[in-house]
Amino acid sequence: MRLILPLVLLLASGLAQPDSIWPRLRSRYLALKTLSGDFTESIFTGADGTVIRFSGRFAIRMPGSYRLEVTSPEKQLIVCSDSFVWFHFPAEKRAVRQPAGGSIPLLAFMAPILDTTATVRARREPSGNWLLEVSTADPTGLADLRLELDPRATRIIGFSFSDDWGARYRFSLLNQRWNPTIPAKTFRFTPPPGTQVEFQ
């Protein structure tokens, strides 16, 4: 019995505590320089239960550069490097350039991290993962935001939210690599020959 009790205390000390989850998580992500991995996205639209699914890869360099490659069901590319965002639709031979800013759904999980007004309610799911229900002073475009964390509450492995039109988005972040070396050219885009370019 004397051996079992210290073991239980040791195991318990490695588990996340609800009150400490959010400060520790924010601290980890605010120190993050780069992040890459794969993603899946499901969009639930309308009362008829329609679901649209996408999958692809992502690379992020803090604070303002990212590359999102949709590989299924149809290739699309979004590239941002500080000042401009490129949207490339290869099947249409079309590219759109616009000033950086605005909302990119896949990056919605970073919004509460950067928002000092954000508060959360944490609960452990039957799977062992943690679910954080997020509230912010300005929830525009991110209604009912929920972050899904790994069992140790150290990584965001998924998230979901609703938009202003009632659609529900859910993302899973897979095969994450923290602080990998990402070449600068990853965040540059040059329209291929024959591409119709639009500027907004």
Side-chain angles (χ1 to χ4, degrees):
M1 190 66 169
R2 292 180 180 177
L3 293 176
I4 294 176
L5 183 57
L7 179 59
V8 171
L9 293 175
L10 180 62
L11 292 174
S13 68
L15 298 176
Q17 301 300 315
D19 291 343
S20 65
I21 286 176
W22 186 237
R24 290 194 311 159
L25 190 71
R26 285 194 76 239
S27 179
R28 280 175 54 82
Y29 275 87
L30 290 174
L32 191 62
K33 302 300 182 185
T34 59
L35 179 68
S36 66
D38 303 321
F39 72 89
T40 62
E41 174 187 6
S42 299
I43 306 175
F44 303 85
T45 61
D48 59 356
T50 300
V51 182
I52 305 171
R53 291 186 171 88
F54 301 90
S55 60
R57 297 180 291 269
F58 69 91
I60 303 169
R61 184 179 66 194
M62 306 303 179
S65 299
Y66 54 84
R67 182 185 184 94
L68 312 177
E69 297 181 52
V70 177
T71 56
S72 177
E74 186 174 277
K75 290 185 177 181
Q76 298 177 28
L77 177 66
I78 304 174
V79 179
C80 177
S81 182
D82 301 319
S83 299
F84 296 100
V85 184
W86 282 99
F87 298 84
H88 182 217
F89 308 95
E92 303 174 23
K93 296 184 177 180
R94 183 169 69 94
V96 179
R97 194 189 79 168
Q98 65 183 42
S103 175
I104 301 295
L106 180 59
L107 302 180
F109 73 97
M110 285 300 297
I113 299 292
L114 301 173
D115 187 343
T116 57
T117 70
T119 59
V120 304
R121 289 191 304 171
R123 72 170 186 265
R124 188 181 284 277
E125 297 286 270
S127 64
N129 294 337
W130 286 89
L131 183 68
L132 304 186
E133 298 177 357
V134 182
S135 299
T136 62
D138 182 14
T140 304
L142 293 176
D144 194 24
L145 176 61
R146 300 181 179 186
L147 304 180
E148 302 166 27
L149 313 185
D150 65 344
R152 296 184 65 84
T154 58
R155 293 189 178 198
I156 299 170
I157 59 174
F159 60 97
S160 60
F161 62 91
S162 299
D163 65 17
D164 294 335
W165 297 273
R168 184 77 184 168
Y169 296 74
R170 186 182 185 282
F171 290 86
S172 292
L173 304 178
L174 312 167
N175 305 317
Q176 295 183 42
R177 297 178 59 212
W178 281 53
N179 292 317
T181 300
I182 302 178
K185 65 180 181 180
T186 302
F187 307 106
R188 292 196 292 263
F189 174 76
T190 301
T195 300
Q196 175 186 342
V197 178
E198 303 171 17
F199 297 93
Q200 297 182 354

